[in-house]
Amino acid sequence: MASESFFAPPRTVVLVGMMGAGKTSIGRRLAARLGVPFVDADAEIEQAAGSSIADIFERHGEEAFRDGERRVIARLLDGPVHVMATGGGAFLDEGTRELIRSRAISVWLRASLDTLAARLEKSRTPRPLLDKEGDLRTALARLIDERYPVYQKAQITVETGDGPHDPVVDSVYDALQVFLEEENPRNSARQ
Ligand code: S3P
């Protein structure tokens, strides 16, 4: 059960995890709950580049996209405390990961292959790393194998499934409180 007490995060909270894990939906609700702005790093990258992510991949390739992504996330972390949803590959880039781990609180939204496949089958968002692959489940299984050992380096892990978003938001909120209490017991977030 989520505590009713409100606490203000001392640093930006960054959601990481696979495409389809719910980073944007959970992030928006978590930001409202914490009383801070929500920022979608992918949308910021598109705005900075003046083109869609699919176009950036197509015209410049993944490496250029990752460089731009790292710069945009660094700039966002310089700004006021907020909740940030990152694209699924951001935390895989060592430079971006170190930025996030040192300057923010990282939260991995962990989802099963079944949950991700069910969500992504319904999604219309173009996803360059999946759209060219033949079978969605095969592509996802490969990415899960590659990425889960790295996502595990996030400071907090919260399980997310097929159900409604609100209980996941509660779990992230509670996990943040515990994390901050452990980090600084004297400034206990619980009232
Ligand atoms: C990517 C995930 C996408 C987007 C880009 C690459 C990835 O974001 O950044 O297509 O490498 O997993 P979402 O996780 O929001 O779909």
Side-chain angles (χ1 to χ4, degrees):
M1 242 309 256
S3 156
E4 290 305 311
S5 69
F6 174 85
F7 69 95
R11 306 193 289 291
T12 288
V13 176
V14 176
L15 302 182
V16 307
M18 282 285 285
M19 299 170 260
K23 291 164 295 192
T24 303
S25 315
I26 304 291
R28 277 187 207 293
R29 289 169 172 80
L30 179 68
R33 181 94 189 270
L34 292 170
V36 298
F38 170 75
V39 179
D40 185 311
D42 276 350
E44 293 286 327
I45 294 163
E46 291 186 325
Q47 207 182 7
S51 56
S52 70
I53 288 181
D55 277 351
I56 304 172
F57 265 78
E58 182 76 33
R59 288 195 212 155
H60 307 287
E62 181 170 354
E63 206 180 313
F65 172 75
R66 297 295 170 209
D67 288 344
E69 181 175 56
R70 194 182 318 109
R71 283 196 298 274
V72 167
I73 290 176
R75 167 174 57 79
L76 293 172
L77 290 175
D78 280 340
V81 168
H82 60 278
V83 172
M84 186 196 307
T86 57
F91 204 64
L92 277 293
D93 178 276
E94 198 181 342
T96 306
R97 185 168 64 248
E98 282 319 307
L99 266 174
I100 295 173
R101 280 182 47 89
S102 60
R103 297 180 51 195
I105 304 167
S106 48
V107 180
W108 175 24
L109 293 183
R110 188 183 194 285
S112 69
L113 173 59
D114 286 343
T115 297
L116 297 173
R119 294 226 186 103
L120 291 167
E121 262 152 21
K122 285 187 247 156
S123 165
R124 296 212 192 118
T125 308
R127 288 186 162 95
L129 290 182
L130 294 177
D131 296 345
K132 290 201 180 95
E133 302 280 340
D135 177 59
L136 175 67
R137 287 184 71 93
T138 309
L140 280 174
R142 184 177 50 77
L143 286 174
I144 284 175
D145 277 355
E146 278 171 24
R147 292 180 169 191
Y148 279 23
V150 184
Y151 290 146
Q152 224 176 333
K153 297 181 182 180
Q155 286 139 310
I156 295 172
T157 298
V158 170
E159 210 61 47
T160 162
D162 285 337
H165 292 310
D166 284 340
V168 182
V169 176
D170 288 347
S171 300
V172 178
Y173 185 92
D174 287 347
L176 277 169
Q177 258 190 339
V178 170
F179 175 83
L180 291 170
E181 280 172 19
E182 282 172 6
E183 186 178 68
N184 195 349
R186 283 194 301 167
N187 287 353
S188 172
R190 285 182 208 273
Q191 302 300 306

